[in-house]
Amino acid sequence: MSEHATPATKRLSRRKRYKRLMVGLLIGGILALWIGIYFDRFLVGVLFYWGGFFGMLAVWRLSSVTLYDERDTAIERKASDYTITIFGFVFVLGAPGGIALEESGLVELPAAFGGAMWTLFAIYVVFGVVYTVLRRRS
């Protein structure tokens, strides 16, 4: 082994440490936001939240080790596929089903229903655009 090569076990432990630091910064930022909301100091909470988020990004981009490998990418791809499929069913069945139930007088939908359906619609529009661009590039 050369003088400059890092042993695999040391590299893995550094990767774990950096990942834990990233997650800790993000969780700390989220908790700070909630605490800020609880104490009616929303702006302070948001600033700490942003600090945690940008701290996480800094660790991710500036760390000296590769934090994510092919296995992580495959897991993220599978999780994204399942998530987009589940919410696709919710959107395709929920939007017309909710409207039909409301029109028939069986339920009264909350105002948030419309916002949720528009949000799902926007997610699928963005997904379609990104997918089309990536497909044309390859």
Side-chain angles (χ1 to χ4, degrees):
M1 178 166 65
S2 73
E3 180 179 324
H4 299 289
T6 305
T9 55
K10 186 173 182 178
R11 199 170 45 246
L12 287 174
S13 68
R14 288 178 67 201
R15 180 188 296 182
K16 272 186 178 179
R17 188 173 349 123
Y18 283 127
K19 283 184 174 183
R20 286 181 183 152
L21 179 59
M22 285 173 48
V23 170
L25 284 166
L26 189 60
I27 290 173
I30 292 168
L31 289 175
L33 177 61
W34 288 347
I35 291 168
I37 291 169
Y38 180 78
F39 287 110
D40 202 25
R41 300 285 185 238
F42 186 72
L43 182 60
V44 174
V46 168
L47 291 174
F48 277 102
Y49 172 75
W50 285 348
F53 175 73
F54 287 118
M56 181 202 71
L57 286 179
V59 170
W60 175 48
R61 299 304 294 169
L62 301 175
S63 65
S64 59
V65 295
T66 303
L67 297 178
Y68 297 98
D69 56 12
E70 299 84 16
R71 180 177 173 270
D72 294 316
T73 302
I75 291 169
E76 286 176 7
R77 183 175 296 132
K78 191 70 121 174
S80 297
D81 182 44
Y82 287 153
T83 302
I84 207 86
T85 300
I86 289 167
F87 280 106
F89 277 108
V90 169
F91 180 58
V92 168
L93 298 174
I99 293 168
L101 288 172
E102 186 172 52
E103 288 297 318
S104 67
L106 294 173
V107 296
E108 185 175 328
L109 295 175
F113 179 81
M117 291 303 109
W118 279 111
T119 300
L120 285 172
F121 175 74
I123 288 170
Y124 280 95
V125 167
V126 170
F127 174 81
V129 169
V130 171
Y131 180 84
T132 302
V133 168
L134 292 174
R135 186 163 175 95
R136 289 189 178 175
R137 283 188 180 177
S138 61

